[in-house]
Amino acid sequence: FEISNRNVWEKASKDKEGLEAYFQKNKYKYSWDGPKYKGYVIFTTNDSIKNEIENFLNVNKPSNDSLSIVLRKEFGRNVKVERVIAGKGENEIIDNIAFNGKTPELKGKWKCYIPYNGRKISWAEEAADVRGPVTSDYQAVLEKEWVKSLHEKYPVKINKKVLNKIKKQ
């Protein structure tokens, strides 16, 4: 198990460049039935913080990579950022933002939301857009290569006398 984990599962999850290269070679395998919204949803605890965040974003324009860190630093625990890829009918909030759905009723701590850097896409643009299936397929490729290298290093030899003895029993 540990060897498989090291050579296949863990390697696939940590090898971002290999995963992206695999995805780029096999993009055609990861098509969708319809468009999806890809972007960020920023959740706030109330309307006044939502307005402050909207004003802050109009002035500062943080990058996607630093969005969560910048907003947490500025607004503390009153903000939460989620990266989202969802199609119509998969998420009420995304339906409202991107597919003209009704405004959902939010429950719990998060009362308001703001879309950020979102757009509709018709196909996966990067491995992260379809992480689960790409990782699974990449693991299968890594496992196949690993088993092949084991067969080359340790060729299988069958003792035909013993095999014939077993067959006769």
Side-chain angles (χ1 to χ4, degrees):
F1 175 84
E2 183 58 36
I3 293 170
S4 293
N5 186 40
R6 207 174 327 134
N7 290 322
V8 179
W9 307 313
E10 203 172 89
K11 184 176 179 180
S13 65
K14 289 183 179 180
D15 183 10
K16 304 293 182 213
E17 290 174 6
L19 198 62
E20 190 61 40
Y22 175 80
F23 169 76
Q24 292 301 330
K25 287 181 188 173
N26 297 282
K27 269 184 175 182
Y28 65 92
K29 291 170 65 175
Y30 305 102
S31 62
W32 295 327
D33 293 338
K36 296 198 181 240
Y37 171 87
K38 177 181 178 179
Y40 293 84
V41 178
I42 302 164
F43 293 91
T44 67
T45 53
N46 60 52
D47 283 332
S48 63
I49 293 173
K50 176 186 174 190
N51 294 336
E52 286 180 44
I53 290 173
E54 287 175 328
N55 292 334
F56 179 83
L57 292 173
N58 287 333
V59 173
N60 294 290
K61 309 262 188 238
S63 72
N64 292 343
D65 294 336
S66 65
L67 179 64
S68 185
I69 295 165
V70 169
L71 291 180
R72 272 293 195 167
K73 185 177 179 184
E74 192 69 25
F75 299 97
R77 297 182 139 201
N78 294 313
V79 65
K80 173 177 84 164
V81 177
E82 288 184 5
R83 181 180 185 273
V84 181
I85 295 180
K88 186 174 184 176
E90 294 176 17
N91 180 312
E92 287 181 307
I93 293 170
I94 300 309
D95 285 351
N96 176 251
I97 292 169
F99 302 104
N100 299 320
K102 67 178 184 163
T103 303
E105 184 180 321
L106 299 180
K107 296 176 179 142
K109 178 180 180 178
W110 308 110
K111 304 294 182 196
C112 305
Y113 60 88
I114 307 161
Y116 185 76
N117 278 354
R119 65 194 190 289
K120 287 184 192 177
I121 58 175
S122 297
W123 55 85
E125 299 172 327
E126 58 185 332
D129 295 348
V130 283
R131 181 170 310 283
V134 171
T135 302
S136 178
D137 292 349
Y138 187 51
Q139 287 172 341
V141 167
L142 290 175
E143 184 173 19
K144 191 174 181 180
E145 290 172 357
W146 177 50
V147 169
K148 182 180 175 187
S149 73
L150 288 174
H151 281 294
E152 288 171 359
K153 189 173 182 178
Y154 306 104
V156 176
K157 295 178 184 173
I158 298 173
N159 186 330
K160 293 195 182 206
K161 286 182 183 178
V162 173
L163 180 63
N164 288 332
K165 251 186 183 179
I166 293 170
K167 281 183 177 179
K168 287 179 183 178
Q169 292 179 356

